[in-house]
Amino acid sequence: MSEVVRGIPLNWFIILSSILFSIGVMGVLFRRNAIIIFMSVELMLNAVNLLLVAFAAKWGDASGQVFVFFTMAVAAAEVAVGLAILVVMYRNSKSTDIDVLNKLKG
Amino acid sequence: MTQDYLQRYLFLILGFFGVLSALMVVFTKNPIHSVLYLVLTFFSIAGEYILLNAQFIAIVNVIVYAGAIMVLFLFVIMLLNLNKETEPHKNPYLKFAAVVTGGLMLIVLVGSLKMADTTAIATPYQGQKGLISNLGFVLFHDFLLPFEISSILFLAAMVGAVMLGKKDIK
């Protein structure tokens, strides 16, 4: 490589975000505990946040970082409602296993 | 030049710890250990933000994610008394299929994006974009309407959480 080494290449961030996102997808797919599934979703959101900040730094634009704020706001709201749903689910079935949610009959 | 290599080493170390603790989040049986490993992952992601000269985002990430959301998770886990390894793995093929699916997704993403942009992020030191005054200007100038709408979202989330948490709704 002939170019002068300056800073971190952008595609390193892309690859790191891809790895974190795939780990999150894996967690959503094979854990049965609903809380762990929520945590995997948070992991995926953070991978996307990292990518947004990397692109914002690459192009010198602060809009990407402001988008990260909105992602955090939506994630906070999602977690609040999701954990409330989880508490209701535990109250009804004494378990947070998502396999007990297979009957949507009321 | 030395500083540039130092930056790369820091990136690799933080990324290694982040990926390792993210894997532990998924593979640990105990939910409380998962939460603690996820906090570790968030700290390494905050370190990556600092490397990208986004200091305010890094602080907010630590305060909001590691401080507030993860405490909410811990609170629910301890409230529901889930801090034991209660996960019957019924189908062994499910785990295998999930790992294969995630691995294939990783291969596709990395394979298609690994040479996307190999140029370095050019202005790591003199960039003032991540500082709070600039971010505040952009947030309250260009993104004022989404900012106000997100307050409605929070109101809806708050009302929804309270409604769901009530024992019996008349």
Side-chain angles (χ1 to χ4, degrees):
Chain A
M1 188 179 284
S2 61
E3 69 174 282
V4 182
V5 176
R6 287 184 62 200
I8 307 162
L10 181 61
N11 61 344
W12 289 18
F13 282 101
I14 297 175
I15 289 172
L16 179 63
S17 298
S18 306
I19 293 170
L20 288 176
F21 193 87
S22 302
I23 292 171
V25 169
M26 217 183 284
V28 169
L29 285 178
F30 88 72
R31 292 309 292 261
R32 297 291 94 194
N33 193 342
I35 290 182
I36 312 280
I37 289 176
F38 268 122
M39 282 193 249
S40 302
V41 171
E42 294 302 312
L43 197 60
M44 286 196 272
L45 285 168
N46 264 278
V48 175
N49 280 353
L50 180 61
L51 203 57
L52 276 170
V53 174
F55 278 118
K58 171 72 181 173
W59 302 113
D61 190 356
S63 304
Q65 299 192 9
V66 175
F67 260 86
V68 173
F69 282 118
F70 289 122
T71 314
M72 283 179 186
V74 172
E78 172 242 336
V79 164
V81 177
L83 288 177
I85 291 174
L86 212 73
V87 170
V88 175
M89 171 185 162
Y90 186 81
R91 197 182 288 153
N92 286 332
S93 65
K94 295 294 166 215
S95 158
T96 54
D97 198 330
I98 56 164
D99 285 341
V100 303
L101 284 182
N102 54 0
K103 37 187 180 301
L104 201 62
K105 289 187 281 194
Chain B
M1 189 64 92
T2 322
Q3 260 186 336
D4 289 332
Y5 278 115
L6 180 68
Q7 239 186 350
R8 292 189 172 192
Y9 288 139
L10 276 176
F11 174 88
L12 289 177
I13 292 167
L14 286 171
F16 177 73
F17 276 111
V19 168
L20 202 68
S21 43
L23 280 173
M24 291 302 285
V25 171
V26 174
F27 286 104
T28 313
K29 290 275 190 291
N30 195 332
I32 286 192
H33 293 174
S34 283
V35 171
L36 296 180
Y37 279 119
L38 195 55
V39 170
L40 207 59
T41 310
F42 287 160
F43 271 102
S44 20
I45 289 176
E48 307 275 5
Y49 290 159
I50 290 175
L51 281 183
L52 284 167
N53 205 13
Q55 294 93 350
F56 188 61
I57 295 273
I59 298 296
V60 167
N61 196 54
V62 168
I63 291 174
V64 172
Y65 267 114
I69 295 182
M70 286 303 113
V71 168
L72 202 62
F73 272 107
L74 267 184
F75 194 72
V76 168
I77 288 173
M78 291 179 173
L79 188 73
L80 300 186
N81 220 355
L82 292 175
N83 49 356
K84 48 191 179 295
E85 296 160 10
T86 55
E87 188 156 356
H89 275 294
K90 298 183 186 77
N91 197 347
Y93 292 111
L94 190 68
K95 204 169 197 170
F96 180 70
V99 171
V100 167
T101 312
L104 280 178
M105 185 176 173
L106 178 63
I107 287 172
V108 169
L109 280 176
V110 171
S112 59
L113 293 173
K114 72 174 189 295
M115 299 312 265
D117 194 345
T118 54
T119 56
I121 292 170
T123 57
Y125 299 120
Q126 67 266 31
Q128 301 290 313
K129 296 291 180 189
L131 300 185
I132 185 166
S133 60
N134 194 6
L135 275 187
F137 177 75
V138 175
L139 179 61
F140 293 114
H141 189 263
D142 295 338
F143 290 91
L144 185 60
L145 182 64
F147 179 76
E148 296 292 342
I149 289 174
S150 70
S151 70
I152 300 175
L153 173 75
F154 272 117
L155 181 66
M158 195 174 71
V159 171
V162 171
M163 284 289 286
L164 285 169
K166 276 171 78 90
K167 263 278 194 283
D168 45 341
I169 297 160
K170 305 286 189 296

PDB file of all heavy atoms in Angstrom, chain B residues 75-91:
ATOM      1  N   PHE B  75     -33.064  -4.425  36.522  1.00  0.00           N
ATOM      2  CA  PHE B  75     -34.181  -4.261  37.429  1.00  0.00           C
ATOM      3  C   PHE B  75     -35.281  -5.270  37.114  1.00  0.00           C
ATOM      4  O   PHE B  75     -35.820  -5.932  38.007  1.00  0.00           O
ATOM      5  CB  PHE B  75     -34.704  -2.830  37.291  1.00  0.00           C
ATOM      6  CG  PHE B  75     -35.630  -2.407  38.366  1.00  0.00           C
ATOM      7  CD1 PHE B  75     -35.170  -2.161  39.635  1.00  0.00           C
ATOM      8  CD2 PHE B  75     -36.979  -2.240  38.106  1.00  0.00           C
ATOM      9  CE1 PHE B  75     -36.036  -1.773  40.631  1.00  0.00           C
ATOM     10  CE2 PHE B  75     -37.837  -1.854  39.092  1.00  0.00           C
ATOM     11  CZ  PHE B  75     -37.363  -1.619  40.361  1.00  0.00           C
ATOM     12  N   VAL B  76     -35.605  -5.411  35.819  1.00  0.00           N
ATOM     13  CA  VAL B  76     -36.658  -6.355  35.438  1.00  0.00           C
ATOM     14  C   VAL B  76     -36.227  -7.781  35.727  1.00  0.00           C
ATOM     15  O   VAL B  76     -37.016  -8.589  36.240  1.00  0.00           O
ATOM     16  CB  VAL B  76     -37.040  -6.150  33.959  1.00  0.00           C
ATOM     17  CG1 VAL B  76     -37.907  -7.286  33.477  1.00  0.00           C
ATOM     18  CG2 VAL B  76     -37.762  -4.850  33.798  1.00  0.00           C
ATOM     19  N   ILE B  77     -34.962  -8.105  35.449  1.00  0.00           N
ATOM     20  CA  ILE B  77     -34.500  -9.474  35.698  1.00  0.00           C
ATOM     21  C   ILE B  77     -34.587  -9.813  37.179  1.00  0.00           C
ATOM     22  O   ILE B  77     -35.043 -10.886  37.584  1.00  0.00           O
ATOM     23  CB  ILE B  77     -33.064  -9.649  35.179  1.00  0.00           C
ATOM     24  CG1 ILE B  77     -33.057  -9.674  33.658  1.00  0.00           C
ATOM     25  CG2 ILE B  77     -32.459 -10.938  35.676  1.00  0.00           C
ATOM     26  CD1 ILE B  77     -31.682  -9.668  33.074  1.00  0.00           C
ATOM     27  N   MET B  78     -34.162  -8.845  38.024  1.00  0.00           N
ATOM     28  CA  MET B  78     -34.210  -9.130  39.457  1.00  0.00           C
ATOM     29  C   MET B  78     -35.631  -9.088  39.990  1.00  0.00           C
ATOM     30  O   MET B  78     -35.977  -9.832  40.905  1.00  0.00           O
ATOM     31  CB  MET B  78     -33.330  -8.129  40.200  1.00  0.00           C
ATOM     32  CG  MET B  78     -31.879  -8.358  39.896  1.00  0.00           C
ATOM     33  SD  MET B  78     -30.823  -7.197  40.703  1.00  0.00           S
ATOM     34  CE  MET B  78     -29.240  -7.883  40.303  1.00  0.00           C
ATOM     35  N   LEU B  79     -36.472  -8.249  39.393  1.00  0.00           N
ATOM     36  CA  LEU B  79     -37.864  -8.175  39.813  1.00  0.00           C
ATOM     37  C   LEU B  79     -38.586  -9.473  39.504  1.00  0.00           C
ATOM     38  O   LEU B  79     -39.371  -9.975  40.306  1.00  0.00           O
ATOM     39  CB  LEU B  79     -38.546  -7.009  39.097  1.00  0.00           C
ATOM     40  CG  LEU B  79     -39.948  -6.639  39.536  1.00  0.00           C
ATOM     41  CD1 LEU B  79     -39.866  -5.956  40.875  1.00  0.00           C
ATOM     42  CD2 LEU B  79     -40.566  -5.706  38.529  1.00  0.00           C
ATOM     43  N   LEU B  80     -38.318 -10.034  38.348  1.00  0.00           N
ATOM     44  CA  LEU B  80     -38.987 -11.262  37.945  1.00  0.00           C
ATOM     45  C   LEU B  80     -38.265 -12.496  38.449  1.00  0.00           C
ATOM     46  O   LEU B  80     -38.672 -13.606  38.146  1.00  0.00           O
ATOM     47  CB  LEU B  80     -39.086 -11.331  36.421  1.00  0.00           C
ATOM     48  CG  LEU B  80     -39.846 -10.204  35.751  1.00  0.00           C
ATOM     49  CD1 LEU B  80     -39.985 -10.488  34.283  1.00  0.00           C
ATOM     50  CD2 LEU B  80     -41.202 -10.020  36.363  1.00  0.00           C
ATOM     51  N   ASN B  81     -37.144 -12.300  39.182  1.00  0.00           N
ATOM     52  CA  ASN B  81     -36.410 -13.426  39.736  1.00  0.00           C
ATOM     53  C   ASN B  81     -35.940 -14.394  38.657  1.00  0.00           C
ATOM     54  O   ASN B  81     -36.126 -15.599  38.750  1.00  0.00           O
ATOM     55  CB  ASN B  81     -37.272 -14.156  40.757  1.00  0.00           C
ATOM     56  CG  ASN B  81     -36.449 -14.582  41.941  1.00  0.00           C
ATOM     57  OD1 ASN B  81     -35.238 -14.397  41.929  1.00  0.00           O
ATOM     58  ND2 ASN B  81     -37.084 -15.137  42.938  1.00  0.00           N
ATOM     59  N   LEU B  82     -35.334 -13.834  37.634  1.00  0.00           N
ATOM     60  CA  LEU B  82     -34.889 -14.668  36.524  1.00  0.00           C
ATOM     61  C   LEU B  82     -33.403 -14.961  36.582  1.00  0.00           C
ATOM     62  O   LEU B  82     -32.832 -15.439  35.621  1.00  0.00           O
ATOM     63  CB  LEU B  82     -35.167 -13.955  35.200  1.00  0.00           C
ATOM     64  CG  LEU B  82     -36.620 -13.781  34.834  1.00  0.00           C
ATOM     65  CD1 LEU B  82     -36.734 -12.964  33.592  1.00  0.00           C
ATOM     66  CD2 LEU B  82     -37.251 -15.126  34.620  1.00  0.00           C
ATOM     67  N   ASN B  83     -32.760 -14.626  37.730  1.00  0.00           N
ATOM     68  CA  ASN B  83     -31.312 -14.745  37.754  1.00  0.00           C
ATOM     69  C   ASN B  83     -30.862 -16.176  38.000  1.00  0.00           C
ATOM     70  O   ASN B  83     -30.036 -16.460  38.831  1.00  0.00           O
ATOM     71  CB  ASN B  83     -30.721 -13.806  38.812  1.00  0.00           C
ATOM     72  CG  ASN B  83     -31.434 -13.958  40.136  1.00  0.00           C
ATOM     73  OD1 ASN B  83     -32.393 -14.707  40.229  1.00  0.00           O
ATOM     74  ND2 ASN B  83     -30.952 -13.265  41.142  1.00  0.00           N
ATOM     75  N   LYS B  84     -31.438 -17.089  37.285  1.00  0.00           N
ATOM     76  CA  LYS B  84     -30.959 -18.463  37.318  1.00  0.00           C
ATOM     77  C   LYS B  84     -31.027 -19.002  35.903  1.00  0.00           C
ATOM     78  O   LYS B  84     -31.678 -18.427  35.030  1.00  0.00           O
ATOM     79  CB  LYS B  84     -31.805 -19.306  38.259  1.00  0.00           C
ATOM     80  CG  LYS B  84     -33.304 -19.136  38.039  1.00  0.00           C
ATOM     81  CD  LYS B  84     -34.066 -19.780  39.179  1.00  0.00           C
ATOM     82  CE  LYS B  84     -35.572 -19.620  39.003  1.00  0.00           C
ATOM     83  NZ  LYS B  84     -36.001 -18.210  39.070  1.00  0.00           N
ATOM     84  N   GLU B  85     -30.314 -20.094  35.722  1.00  0.00           N
ATOM     85  CA  GLU B  85     -30.156 -20.574  34.348  1.00  0.00           C
ATOM     86  C   GLU B  85     -31.364 -21.420  33.974  1.00  0.00           C
ATOM     87  O   GLU B  85     -31.368 -22.634  34.081  1.00  0.00           O
ATOM     88  CB  GLU B  85     -28.859 -21.354  34.236  1.00  0.00           C
ATOM     89  CG  GLU B  85     -27.670 -20.453  34.497  1.00  0.00           C
ATOM     90  CD  GLU B  85     -26.434 -21.228  34.878  1.00  0.00           C
ATOM     91  OE1 GLU B  85     -26.467 -22.449  34.748  1.00  0.00           O
ATOM     92  OE2 GLU B  85     -25.481 -20.599  35.291  1.00  0.00           O
ATOM     93  N   THR B  86     -32.406 -20.747  33.564  1.00  0.00           N
ATOM     94  CA  THR B  86     -33.648 -21.444  33.249  1.00  0.00           C
ATOM     95  C   THR B  86     -33.898 -21.355  31.760  1.00  0.00           C
ATOM     96  O   THR B  86     -34.663 -20.526  31.293  1.00  0.00           O
ATOM     97  CB  THR B  86     -34.815 -20.794  33.987  1.00  0.00           C
ATOM     98  OG1 THR B  86     -34.812 -19.420  33.651  1.00  0.00           O
ATOM     99  CG2 THR B  86     -34.705 -20.970  35.459  1.00  0.00           C
ATOM    100  N   GLU B  87     -33.198 -22.148  31.031  1.00  0.00           N
ATOM    101  CA  GLU B  87     -33.466 -22.133  29.600  1.00  0.00           C
ATOM    102  C   GLU B  87     -33.367 -23.548  29.049  1.00  0.00           C
ATOM    103  O   GLU B  87     -32.282 -24.057  28.795  1.00  0.00           O
ATOM    104  CB  GLU B  87     -32.486 -21.223  28.865  1.00  0.00           C
ATOM    105  CG  GLU B  87     -32.895 -21.065  27.424  1.00  0.00           C
ATOM    106  CD  GLU B  87     -32.352 -19.786  26.847  1.00  0.00           C
ATOM    107  OE1 GLU B  87     -31.745 -19.012  27.582  1.00  0.00           O
ATOM    108  OE2 GLU B  87     -32.565 -19.568  25.670  1.00  0.00           O
ATOM    109  N   PRO B  88     -34.486 -24.214  28.917  1.00  0.00           N
ATOM    110  CA  PRO B  88     -34.432 -25.542  28.331  1.00  0.00           C
ATOM    111  C   PRO B  88     -34.211 -25.456  26.829  1.00  0.00           C
ATOM    112  O   PRO B  88     -34.997 -24.818  26.111  1.00  0.00           O
ATOM    113  CB  PRO B  88     -35.811 -26.130  28.656  1.00  0.00           C
ATOM    114  CG  PRO B  88     -36.696 -24.947  28.766  1.00  0.00           C
ATOM    115  CD  PRO B  88     -35.868 -23.806  29.233  1.00  0.00           C
ATOM    116  N   HIS B  89     -33.114 -26.014  26.394  1.00  0.00           N
ATOM    117  CA  HIS B  89     -32.886 -26.024  24.949  1.00  0.00           C
ATOM    118  C   HIS B  89     -33.580 -27.250  24.366  1.00  0.00           C
ATOM    119  O   HIS B  89     -33.097 -28.369  24.476  1.00  0.00           O
ATOM    120  CB  HIS B  89     -31.392 -26.070  24.643  1.00  0.00           C
ATOM    121  CG  HIS B  89     -30.799 -24.715  24.657  1.00  0.00           C
ATOM    122  ND1 HIS B  89     -31.133 -23.743  23.738  1.00  0.00           N
ATOM    123  CD2 HIS B  89     -29.896 -24.152  25.476  1.00  0.00           C
ATOM    124  CE1 HIS B  89     -30.455 -22.643  23.996  1.00  0.00           C
ATOM    125  NE2 HIS B  89     -29.706 -22.849  25.042  1.00  0.00           N
ATOM    126  N   LYS B  90     -34.718 -26.984  23.784  1.00  0.00           N
ATOM    127  CA  LYS B  90     -35.519 -28.106  23.326  1.00  0.00           C
ATOM    128  C   LYS B  90     -34.935 -28.716  22.062  1.00  0.00           C
ATOM    129  O   LYS B  90     -34.731 -29.905  21.954  1.00  0.00           O
ATOM    130  CB  LYS B  90     -36.954 -27.641  23.067  1.00  0.00           C
ATOM    131  CG  LYS B  90     -37.636 -27.131  24.323  1.00  0.00           C
ATOM    132  CD  LYS B  90     -39.060 -26.752  24.064  1.00  0.00           C
ATOM    133  CE  LYS B  90     -39.673 -26.103  25.292  1.00  0.00           C
ATOM    134  NZ  LYS B  90     -39.219 -24.712  25.445  1.00  0.00           N
ATOM    135  N   ASN B  91     -34.647 -27.864  21.107  1.00  0.00           N
ATOM    136  CA  ASN B  91     -34.246 -28.378  19.811  1.00  0.00           C
ATOM    137  C   ASN B  91     -32.773 -28.065  19.568  1.00  0.00           C
ATOM    138  O   ASN B  91     -32.408 -26.909  19.446  1.00  0.00           O
ATOM    139  CB  ASN B  91     -35.106 -27.717  18.727  1.00  0.00           C
ATOM    140  CG  ASN B  91     -35.050 -28.471  17.430  1.00  0.00           C
ATOM    141  OD1 ASN B  91     -34.196 -29.337  17.254  1.00  0.00           O
ATOM    142  ND2 ASN B  91     -35.946 -28.144  16.531  1.00  0.00           N
TER     143      ASN B  91
END
